[in-house]
């Protein structure tokens, strides 16, 4: 599926699932898919996150993290995520701004412009 189509579908989801196998969860690094999920505004269930993934979502509203969950724990987490959260839209708007590629590129360009001006004084 083309990436724009996948992004559109993710943005319309009621809940997003980020799932890693136990083996992959022991790897270092961050699941780039989590950044895409965070800016959608949808609640996210993260199963078997890497350590970095856990740090990324631990303070994010509308995120549940489970490690090797039972069916009951998985079901309970989904029920919590499907309950309305008044804080979620504002939090996700802040994340969308923070991780927006155009915003990040513009910020980097401004830093480089400033650096070049300092360099050539």
């Amino acid at each position: 599926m083309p990436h724009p189509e996948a992004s559109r579908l993710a943005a319309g989801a009621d809940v997003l699932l980020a799932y890693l196998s136990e083996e992959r969860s022991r790897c270092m690094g961050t699941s780039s898919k989590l950044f895409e999920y965070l800016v959608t505004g949808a609640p996210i269930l993260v199963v078997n996150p890497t350590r970095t993934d856990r740090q990324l979502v631990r303070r994010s509203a509308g995120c549940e993290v489970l490690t090797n969950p039972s069916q009951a724990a998985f079901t309970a987490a989904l029920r919590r995520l499907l309950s309305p959260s008044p804080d979620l839209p504002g939090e996700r708007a802040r994340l969308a701004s923070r991780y927006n590629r155009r915003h990040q590129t513009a910020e980097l360009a401004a830093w480089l412009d400033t650096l070049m001006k300092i360099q050539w004084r």
Side-chain angles (χ1 to χ4, degrees), residues 56-76:
L56 176 65
V57 299
R58 73 180 177 163
R59 292 189 188 132
S60 296
C63 291
E64 291 271 343
V65 176
L66 301 173
T67 302
N68 301 321
S70 65
Q71 182 177 353
F74 187 85
T75 301

Side-chain angles (χ1 to χ4, degrees), residues 27-103:
C27 297
M28 300 301 285
T30 302
S31 301
S32 60
K33 188 63 65 189
L34 275 181
F35 288 98
E36 293 177 18
Y37 282 8
L38 282 167
V39 299
T40 65
I44 304 166
L45 178 54
V46 184
V47 178
N48 299 331
T50 65
R51 183 175 182 201
T52 310
D53 290 346
R54 185 180 302 275
Q55 295 297 316
L56 176 65
V57 299
R58 73 180 177 163
R59 292 189 188 132
S60 296
C63 291
E64 291 271 343
V65 176
L66 301 173
T67 302
N68 301 321
S70 65
Q71 182 177 353
F74 187 85
T75 301
L78 280 177
R79 284 191 175 127
R80 286 190 299 274
L81 289 170
L82 288 169
S83 299
S85 171
D87 297 335
L88 188 56
E91 162 119 1
R92 291 302 167 78
R94 287 187 295 279
L95 284 169
S97 175
R98 181 177 175 190
Y99 294 115
N100 178 284
R101 295 285 187 227
R102 286 189 179 132
H103 172 77

Side-chain angles (χ1 to χ4, degrees), residues 106-119:
E107 189 173 36
L108 177 60
W111 293 343
L112 292 172
D113 285 345
T114 301
L115 179 63
M116 293 305 293
K117 289 174 186 172
I118 292 170
Q119 176 71 25

